[in-house]
Amino acid sequence: QAQLVESGGGLVQPGGSLNLSCEASGFTSSTLSWVRQAPGKGLEWVSNINPVGDTTYYADSVKGRFTMSRDNAKNTLYLQMNSLKPEDTAVYYCAKPSLPFRYVNGRFDGEYEARGQGTQVTVSS
């Protein structure tokens, strides 16, 4: 059964790092996303990775600080987050984009057909 299960969230000080994981059973042939939702705000796309894991895309707000990767042998998706800021505070979800989708100037344009339960990331001193 296909499922997405996130882990690795927590409380971290500004400038710190966290590494999120997502068990992504049944999705090894799919482009996958990390998305986040801050308190009182809508869902925000963070990053995408292609099925083989050699191409990634990032939102401008995280580019240069976050790195997305995947290990299909372990059915696992990762998000390494460095130089964290208070504005990175959100619930982070791994998600599967609906087809079709596109990139506009490197930015994801589409919807999601599946999402995990999320993991809370809080950046605060």
Side-chain angles (χ1 to χ4, degrees):
Q1 181 178 349
Q3 63 175 358
L4 297 165
V5 181
E6 304 90 341
S7 62
L11 173 64
V12 63
Q13 293 187 341
S17 298
L18 279 176
N19 190 21
L20 305 184
S21 298
C22 172
E23 179 187 337
S25 302
F27 294 102
T28 55
S29 61
S30 303
T31 288
L32 292 174
S33 304
W34 283 101
V35 300
R36 66 186 182 184
Q37 188 164 24
K41 296 189 177 181
L43 207 59
E44 177 190 12
W45 172 71
V46 173
S47 60
N48 272 18
I49 192 166
N50 68 339
V52 298
D54 61 359
T55 302
T56 51
Y57 300 85
Y58 297 95
D60 288 344
S61 58
V62 306
K63 200 172 294 183
R65 301 187 298 122
F66 290 11
T67 303
M68 185 176 185
S69 61
R70 67 192 297 168
D71 185 339
N72 286 337
K74 296 181 178 180
N75 293 323
T76 304
L77 192 66
Y78 302 99
L79 185 67
Q80 176 65 43
M81 305 186 296
N82 298 328
S83 302
L84 283 161
K85 305 175 181 179
E87 51 263 44
D88 294 317
T89 295
V91 179
Y92 284 71
Y93 303 90
C94 53
K96 180 187 182 299
S98 303
L99 296 175
F101 63 86
R102 61 176 183 168
Y103 295 101
V104 179
N105 295 323
R107 183 177 177 82
F108 174 76
D109 180 17
E111 303 293 331
Y112 306 100
E113 65 181 47
R115 185 158 49 115
Q117 85 290 345
T119 186
Q120 175 71 47
V121 171
T122 303
V123 185
S124 175
S125 54

